[in-house]
């Protein structure tokens, strides 16, 4: 009898091979020939799954986005003890900064997704951008003593407090810029410097909701973003 082929498994193997290519060469290296060579396949075999480079790259970008979510979200969402709300939030945001080898890999993968979206703008907007903004929105909301949202898609919606939205945008912009500096000028921005800058920004966030007036929320021993 002919051997059954697990096509989903084979496509996953191709995605993993393509991610290795991205880490070496960027998205431009994700060609039918390049990925076939990395996976140990013939180009003819790969074309059974993808008719051209565009289809291959589109699949790889989705696989890369899924990989980033699997790697980053569990770290962001894990319960953590901290001496203050600011410190707890800072440890969450640091997961988005390329401060070690794993996070530098993730930054390279994120950059490849951004490069694809720049060439092929998604109808609903950037998935990675929306994912990141949702994390920063939750972080700022936690600093302002709002309860975390429970519905998975709710964090992607604008927060009812305009100040939360403003500071989420500022934090998002700050982290993107800081991450670029860490990657592009590593001798100028150390991990300690990045940590100090991040905490300085978070300290500047107004830590009171409109209904609390001038009263600051009580610092909690643990911070969690869902």
């Amino acid at each position: 009898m002919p051997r059954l082929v697990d096509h989903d498994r084979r496509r996953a193997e191709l995605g993993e091979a393509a991610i290795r290519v991205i880490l070496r060469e960027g998205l431009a290296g994700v060609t039918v020939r390049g990925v076939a060579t990395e996976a140990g396949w013939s180009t003819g075999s790969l074309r059974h799954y993808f008719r051209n480079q565009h289809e291959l790259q589109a699949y790889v970008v989705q696989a890369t986005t899924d990989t980033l979510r699997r790697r980053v979200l569990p770290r962001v969402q894990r319960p953590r003890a901290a001496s203050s709300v600011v410190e707890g939030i800072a440890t969450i945001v640091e997961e988005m900064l390329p401060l070690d080898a794993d996070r530098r890999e993730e930054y390279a993968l994120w950059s490849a997704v951004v490069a694809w979206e720049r060439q092929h703008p998604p109808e609903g907007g950037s998935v990675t951008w929306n994912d990141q903004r949702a994390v920063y929105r939750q972080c700022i909301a936690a600093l302002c003593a709002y309860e975390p949202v429970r519905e998975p898609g709710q964090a992607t919606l604008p927060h009812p407090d305009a100040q939360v939205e403003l500071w989420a945008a500022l934090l998002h912009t700050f982290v993107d810029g800081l991450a670029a500096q860490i990657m592009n000028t590593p001798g100028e921005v150390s991990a300690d410097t990045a940590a100090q800058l991040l905490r300085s920004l978070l300290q500047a966030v107004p830590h009171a909701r409109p209904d609390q007036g001038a009263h600051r929320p009580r610092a909690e021993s643990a911070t969690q973003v869902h």
Side-chain angles (χ1 to χ4, degrees), residues 18-91:
I19 286 174
R20 294 195 296 273
V21 172
I22 286 175
L23 292 174
R24 285 201 313 270
E25 307 172 38
L27 185 64
V30 179
T31 63
V32 171
R33 183 182 298 277
V35 174
T37 299
E38 179 69 26
W41 291 24
S42 68
T43 56
S45 296
L46 192 144
R47 288 188 189 281
H48 177 72
Y49 294 90
F50 308 102
R51 293 174 298 177
N52 52 49
Q53 183 171 322
H54 182 277
E55 283 190 3
L56 172 63
Q57 288 190 338
Y59 173 77
V60 169
V61 165
Q62 183 59 58
T64 302
T65 301
D66 293 342
T67 297
L68 286 170
R69 282 176 170 167
R70 286 197 303 270
R71 287 175 62 163
V72 177
L73 285 180
R75 298 201 312 263
V76 168
Q77 294 174 335
R78 68 178 172 82
R80 45 188 24 97
S83 57
S84 68
V85 176
V86 166
E87 184 60 27
I89 294 299
T91 63

Side-chain angles (χ1 to χ4, degrees), residues 57-217:
Q57 288 190 338
Y59 173 77
V60 169
V61 165
Q62 183 59 58
T64 302
T65 301
D66 293 342
T67 297
L68 286 170
R69 282 176 170 167
R70 286 197 303 270
R71 287 175 62 163
V72 177
L73 285 180
R75 298 201 312 263
V76 168
Q77 294 174 335
R78 68 178 172 82
R80 45 188 24 97
S83 57
S84 68
V85 176
V86 166
E87 184 60 27
I89 294 299
T91 63
I92 292 171
V93 177
E94 282 173 338
E95 299 294 353
M96 315 294 283
L97 289 170
L99 298 176
D100 55 30
D102 286 343
R103 283 175 281 183
R104 285 192 290 274
E105 269 195 6
E106 290 159 4
Y107 185 88
L109 295 177
W110 174 81
S111 296
V113 175
V114 169
W116 170 264
E117 291 180 340
R118 188 164 54 244
Q119 299 169 27
H120 311 278
E123 288 186 10
S126 170
V127 174
T128 53
W129 189 94
N130 285 326
D131 283 351
Q132 289 175 320
R133 179 57 63 87
V135 171
Y136 301 133
R137 181 180 290 118
Q138 284 278 72
C139 287
I140 297 298
L143 280 176
C144 296
Y146 284 104
E147 289 294 321
V149 300
R150 301 300 178 186
E151 295 297 326
Q154 193 176 346
T156 63
L157 302 175
H159 197 277
D161 185 341
Q163 284 297 306
V164 170
E165 280 299 291
L166 172 62
W167 280 96
L170 292 171
L171 179 59
H172 193 167
T173 303
F174 173 86
V175 174
D176 278 359
L178 186 56
Q181 288 186 359
I182 293 169
M183 291 295 290
N184 298 329
T185 54
E188 302 299 327
V189 183
S190 67
D192 287 342
T193 298
Q196 291 170 7
L197 289 170
L198 173 60
R199 283 158 178 78
S200 294
L201 178 71
L202 294 176
Q203 288 284 2
V205 177
H207 294 175
R209 302 195 315 242
D211 61 354
Q212 291 178 313
H215 299 290
R216 293 168 64 88

